[in-house]
Amino acid sequence: MSWTEYNQSIIRYPELGFSIDTSLMDIPADYAAGLELDKAFAGIKAIEKGDICNPDEGRMVGHYWLRNAELAPTAELKADITGPLADLKAFAAKVLAGEIVAENGEKFENLLVIGIGGSALGPQLVYDALGAKSPLKTFFFDNTDPAGIDTTVAKIGCGLSKTLSLVVSKSGGTAETRNAMLEAKAAYEAAGCDFGKHTVAITGIGSKLDDYSKANGFIAMFPMDDWVGGRTSVMSTVGLVPAALQGIDIDEFLQGAADMDALTRVDDFAKNAGIQLAAAWHHAGNGKGEKDMVVLPYKDSLVLFSKYLQQLVMESLGKELDLDGNVVHQGIAVYGNKGSTDQHAYVQQLRDGVHNFFVTFIEVREGRDGQSIKVEDDFTSADYLQGFLRGTRKALYQSDRKSITISIDKVTPRSLGALIALFERAVSYYALLVNINAYHQPGVEAGKKAAGDFLTLLNKVRESLSADAQSAEQIAATLGDDIEDVYHCLSHLAANGQAKLNAGATPAEDSFAV
């Protein structure tokens, strides 16, 4: 790769302290000419002006409006953004000033965020990246795992009486979030606290959670809109309420995203980092997702960025059908952790093993805020971190492993907002290039339905148990259900003290009783 080619393959946005280098992706100079760029640029305009761009659910796609309410197509939608933003800022200021306090009259010291998927991942990323000096130590219930919930409650300990909880669910019907909320309620009550007097709802107006919050005397409710999906909700009330409570500059966070949106809105491939990132993904995977994306942020505070991108990219792009109903099985698998830690883990395979990926390096140019000691000769820890990044990038390319390098000056609210916005824009562009709906999630809904079916069967199996030991086959024959499904229900009941297992030599020989 020549110096000239490097200069031709990099886009820099000095006002954001940002650059993206695709020189090691070996994208042919004429590759973009074969893509439907006009369609992609027109598609972004349609999204931003409020067209129904999620046809399966009949919804607009409005996450770009969240950081620039002037883009909202109606005055009512604009007010739906600016009103809650002003309200949540005022609320956070009162909590941090001690004007809104816990039931015992003491100032809140902890924050518990209860949500799943985008309702937890976004706030987790922001807190991990920017919350080091937060006035509220923050915890998360992001699963329906009771042992995990117990561990978090134990970490909070006697501080539960000074913990403010946020329950985040658009519909209020998401089982994992409802379960975690009820677990939290039980923990507060066990500590002698009124759950409602410590809790805020973030939900849709008129939802089950909205009704529950009113019935249980929650401190406040902040609204969510149906035109914002969970994976793009971090700049809505979902992400902004916790960020504001953590003392993070949410105006700068939103401004960074708005600035990146403006720079990636231009109909010029050579100057648009969003469309170039999407084109790099398209080239790497032949437009079919044939290569995985390994995300390696070289900064501890961005360790959750790869996990965040897993949902944003995979839930958006992993689709069976295109918009015309053709079976396409699109998607880009995303995994990763952080550099240089993972140079001692899976970089060995990346260089010498199966060639089924490309890498996205995230570089943070500033090592630390302040002076660094010399750890060896004239070198600092930051020098070594940069050396590992550049060395790994070169070593991979020498083995024909492609990579993208995205660089920011430092991790700030503005730069994090810009990074998130860049990938949101690239997802939109890629979806338009391959003609899929990036804004629904039928596979997720199918999983929820299957889980519901299992719970229905679990009740039937529980009720069928008797004092006389029976095999899964016997119970399945009585119920008229699949033997293996019945067996898994029985095993679950036995593991949780609701059935007695008499183990045989094989699952078929196991028997169960009350």
Side-chain angles (χ1 to χ4, degrees), residues 55-68:
D56 299 70
E57 297 176 355
R59 292 177 178 174
M60 299 178 289
V61 176
H63 55 277
Y64 295 120
W65 310 334
L66 296 170
R67 49 266 200 165
N68 184 356

Side-chain angles (χ1 to χ4, degrees), residues 209-228:
L209 177 56
D210 187 16
D211 293 342
Y212 187 89
S213 72
K214 293 171 183 174
N216 287 270
F218 281 20
I219 299 170
M221 189 282 272
F222 294 98
M224 297 172 66
D225 294 290
D226 68 1
W227 38 264
V228 178

Side-chain angles (χ1 to χ4, degrees), residues 337-352:
N337 202 326
K338 68 178 180 180
S340 64
T341 301
D342 290 292
Q343 293 181 204
H344 301 273
Y346 52 65
V347 167
Q348 169 61 36
Q349 177 168 315
L350 296 185
R351 190 179 188 280
D352 295 342

Side-chain angles (χ1 to χ4, degrees), residues 275-289:
I275 191 68
Q276 286 210 15
L277 184 56
W281 296 350
H282 193 280
H283 175 254
N286 294 318
K288 300 175 183 178

Side-chain angles (χ1 to χ4, degrees), residues 339-379:
S340 64
T341 301
D342 290 292
Q343 293 181 204
H344 301 273
Y346 52 65
V347 167
Q348 169 61 36
Q349 177 168 315
L350 296 185
R351 190 179 188 280
D352 295 342
V354 182
H355 190 181
N356 62 345
F357 69 93
F358 63 97
V359 175
T360 300
F361 291 101
I362 310 292
E363 173 192 16
V364 181
R365 298 185 183 100
E366 181 183 83
R368 65 155 46 100
D369 184 10
Q371 295 296 312
S372 287
I373 64 167
K374 301 292 176 61
V375 294
E376 181 184 346
D377 299 328
D378 289 329
F379 302 124

Side-chain angles (χ1 to χ4, degrees), residues 81-158:
I81 298 165
T82 58
L85 180 59
D87 291 343
L88 72 89
K89 286 181 182 179
F91 176 80
K94 289 180 180 179
V95 170
L96 298 181
E99 296 174 30
I100 295 175
V101 295
E103 181 184 9
N104 60 9
E106 295 189 52
K107 194 172 180 180
F108 285 112
E109 295 181 357
N110 301 311
L111 183 65
L112 174 62
V113 180
I114 302 169
I116 196 163
S119 296
L121 272 173
Q124 284 173 320
L125 169 65
V126 172
Y127 180 64
D128 219 47
L130 303 171
K133 298 179 180 179
S134 170
L136 296 182
K137 188 174 182 181
T138 304
F139 303 87
F140 295 88
F141 283 179
D142 64 350
N143 199 0
T144 189
D145 174 13
I149 289 169
D150 290 346
T151 298
T152 301
V153 171
K155 287 178 180 177
I156 298 172
C158 60

